[in-house]
Amino acid sequence: MTEKAIEFLQEWISEKVQPPRDPGAVEPVEQKAGILAKECAEQAASAGVRIEDIEEEVGDLEDLIAAKLEDAAEDQAHNTSADAS
């Protein structure tokens, strides 16, 4: 993966893949990941980054985003339960 693709993906994920604002109204991770993967591919193309370059390194983009969404939700749940203690 090119340096440009790596930088693009890292920045995009840090900006777009966030825990849900309202944990009670969470849409399915797979659905959200699909939407975000499409958005990422579109923005990558606009930035001159080939989605093939990204997926060559990380595998399926939708799977990566789903994993990141799950991690963010778990971190949020952990932090929320720690705050309640």
Side-chain angles (χ1 to χ4, degrees):
M1 184 158 64
T2 67
E3 186 68 29
K4 183 177 181 179
I6 292 168
E7 289 175 11
F8 172 85
L9 184 60
Q10 288 174 337
E11 183 176 319
W12 191 91
I13 285 177
S14 70
E15 290 177 9
K16 301 290 183 174
V17 179
Q18 302 294 325
R21 290 189 182 124
D22 179 6
V26 177
E27 64 186 300
V29 169
E30 296 81 16
Q31 181 181 0
K32 181 74 172 173
I35 293 167
L36 288 174
K38 183 177 179 183
E39 182 181 325
C40 181
E42 291 170 356
Q43 290 180 359
S46 294
V49 175
R50 293 174 2 114
I51 196 65
E52 294 85 0
D53 290 342
I54 293 172
E55 288 191 330
E56 181 179 303
E57 184 69 25
V58 300
D60 185 75
L61 183 58
E62 192 170 328
D63 289 345
L64 173 70
I65 291 172
K68 296 291 186 180
L69 286 168
E70 289 171 355
D71 290 347
E74 287 176 15
D75 287 347
Q76 181 185 43
H78 177 72
N79 290 339
T80 302
S81 65
D83 291 344
S85 300

